[in-house]
Amino acid sequence: MVKRFRFGAPIETEAVLEKGAQQDKQQLSLVQTADGLEYEMPDDMIVYGLGENTRGINKRGWIYVSNCTDNPHHNEGTRSLYGAHNFLLLSGEGQQLGLFIDTPAKVTFDIGYSRYNLLRITAGQDYDLYVIEGSTPAQVVQEFRQLIGRSYIPPKWAFGYGQSRWSYLSSDEVREVVRGHREKGLPLDSVYLDIDYMERYKDFTVDREQFADFEQLVSEMKQEHIHLVPIIDAGVKVEEGYDVYEEGEKEGYFCKDEEGNDFIVGVWPGRCCFPDMLNDKARAWFGNKYKVLLDKGIDGFWNDMNEPAVFYSEKRLKKVFEKLQDYQGQNLDVNTFFEFQALAAGVSNNEEDYRSFYHNYRGEKIRHDKVHNLFGYYMTRSASEAFERLEPEKRILMYSRSSYIGMHRYAGIWQGDNLSWWSHLLMNLKMMPSLNMCGFLYTGADIGGFGGDATEDLVIRWLSFGVFTPLLRNHAARGTRQQEAYRFPRTNLFQNVLTARYCMLPYLYSEFMKAALRSTMMFSPLGFVYPSDQTARQVEDQLFVGENIMIAPVYEQNASGRTVYFPETMKLLRFHDGGVLEGSVYEKGWAYVEMPLGDVCVFIRDGYLLPLAKGGSHVAEVDFEDLRLYTCGSDVKSYEYYMDDGETKDYSLDKYIRILKAE
Ligand code: MIG
């Protein structure tokens, strides 16, 4: 049951499809405070949710701030990442309560940080609160997901392996990456184009020096079953003669400063303007620009820097330069030195800048900070709405860095600028179920880590988990060690891991589609599947993938196995050296399981089956009909296998589910 309570006069976000009637506050099960809500949490309550965030699957014991932020150095101490996903699920003994705080401004969730039993939400004066009561965590999530609408569905090829780097600098470098994979028998479906494919970082242009034959490259790649996926940035370069800038300027489509002039920020190309993604006309205009690339045969994009990230604003820069003069010639003691340092460091993503520009949203002038968390959502929506107009029948790959709940209907997300750290592999795992709760199903992290130098074992272990995530992309930052699979010596281990992905595609795609069409979880914490098993509820480094299998990845360097909790009897299946081995059957309880580097391990639940294909070097080569069914136990449930063409939008559970039965 969903109840909506309104506080003040919230700004519309379009997160929810049908708002439903407002309820009387007498019915509120939380305490209303001057600027938010409070709730006393019993000791054993688990708090799920918050989508893209650091720390545990159980969010208890930390303080989180929904305030979309570009933070390439995030770690355990970080409170805000790229998305704002204000959904919590309070899961206690005999009580399951879902909470969604719908406001585009900043929200703080103190979840037992100030005091262990206190949940304190600070949301200001204006917000809608949705309260969902249910009997199980899974049921609450399903009701919430129905409220916010069906998740984005990508084309089937987007479940293949993608290789990315900031940046491949020329057509020939792209060809080399493809050759590197094909020659070593490593499957691949896409190669990413980061900012350097553009001419001086101008959106919707192509650098004709390094990518002179761009159209030719796209079609040549298509022949090889490789999709090129270019990046689009939020900022539009200020440059005379650049059509996107000139049109936006002339039509008044850019965000304005207090005086009504275009607000100038510095991002990749230097001076930029932000298209006013919240303005319907500007949004339609910006979305139509993607056609430039669609017309060249492109069928996938990633939207970046849309928190929006601001390196500096012209106004702020001016102030800082003036202030810096004061320090010249001074004896910088410890305090003045830190002030001086903070001054320069503080030019980026500065709160004052976010309070200095304006949108025209639904005919009203609204200061950016009041709608900050919607910018990435509406940028991505601009693209998706344009695809709907331009290519109504075709699925186009689209994912974004920044997001708000509601954007999940239009696109997926990647999990931002992580680092080549083992702890970030584990963070990737923990984010999956939390994101699913908030509607984001098509998601994954930069495999191998974005910042920092990766090691061969880290990339292998990360891939061994990543092969379960819908978005499977290896990506790394400029200046870091190259981490493409073919560059490392133990090619056979990479082959084995990636082959596992292509063998599991029928199951993974089927589970993804059912999760999207039924508003269910694809990645579940063990507590969702066994809500009354107190041990299962505490396990945070194992997940269910779909209904039939459990995974327990290795995320520590030099470990050749790990301890696994079995909430019931399960059978180990091991992808090893290109083949599939049926391993031991484990009884309920804890066990140490050997998981050598390069093996992919899955645990089939007692009475369930796992269909596997024979693999392929790209998605189109996988035979989704030629399946072998692996089982655990004797009395095996039949499997609802969903399979459609993966290209058109004719999704239908009725039409495309078939029943698979083990002999
Ligand atoms: O400030 O386009 O998260 O994936 O490679 C960095 C360059 C801008 C941030 C993205 C990252 C991408 C990078 N971008």
Side-chain angles (χ1 to χ4, degrees), residues 321-425:
F321 277 128
E322 278 164 15
K323 189 100 202 344
L324 281 174
Q325 310 285 329
D326 300 350
Y327 294 92
Q328 223 170 25
Q330 254 198 66
N331 174 11
L332 299 184
D333 65 12
V334 59
N335 292 328
T336 36
F337 172 71
F338 285 127
E339 257 173 43
F340 159 81
Q341 222 182 14
L343 199 61
V347 294
S348 295
N349 303 327
N350 192 288
E351 298 253 339
E352 199 181 307
D353 281 335
Y354 291 128
R355 287 194 296 267
S356 312
F357 66 95
Y358 294 82
H359 296 271
N360 173 356
Y361 185 41
R362 300 175 163 227
E364 266 181 70
K365 179 178 166 185
I366 296 190
R367 208 172 70 189
H368 176 77
D369 60 313
K370 303 192 156 79
V371 289
H372 176 72
N373 289 339
L374 291 185
F375 192 88
Y377 167 12
Y378 278 65
M379 174 190 181
T380 300
R381 182 171 172 176
S382 86
S384 301
E385 286 172 341
F387 302 156
E388 209 52 58
R389 292 190 297 273
L390 299 165
E391 302 259 21
E393 305 302 327
K394 190 175 169 182
R395 295 189 210 177
I396 292 178
L397 172 61
M398 175 84 249
Y399 59 89
S400 170
R401 195 171 70 177
S402 186
S403 59
Y404 183 82
I405 289 175
M407 200 199 83
H408 71 287
R409 299 193 297 271
Y410 298 93
I413 60 168
W414 90 97
Q415 296 167 7
D417 294 346
N418 57 13
L419 286 134
S420 296
W421 292 347
W422 292 85
S423 60
H424 280 189
L425 156 51

Side-chain angles (χ1 to χ4, degrees), residues 70 166 194-195 231 233 268 302 304-305 311 401 414 416-417 446 450 473 475-476:
D70 170 18
W166 172 21
D194 208 323
I195 47 177
I231 195 169
D233 277 7
W268 284 114
W302 46 313
D304 191 20
M305 305 294 275
F311 291 173
R401 195 171 70 177
W414 90 97
D417 294 346
D446 288 351
F450 176 72
R473 180 179 77 147
H475 180 48

Side-chain angles (χ1 to χ4, degrees), residues 11-16 66 68 82-86 100-105 107 128 372-378 400-409 413 438 440:
I11 295 173
E12 180 59 58
T13 63
E14 298 193 24
V16 163
S66 284
C68 298
Y82 307 83
H85 306 143
N86 305 338
F100 174 47
I101 319 294
D102 193 14
T103 162
V107 182
D128 272 321
H372 176 72
N373 289 339
L374 291 185
F375 192 88
Y377 167 12
Y378 278 65
S400 170
R401 195 171 70 177
S402 186
S403 59
Y404 183 82
I405 289 175
M407 200 199 83
H408 71 287
R409 299 193 297 271
I413 60 168
C438 300
F440 293 94

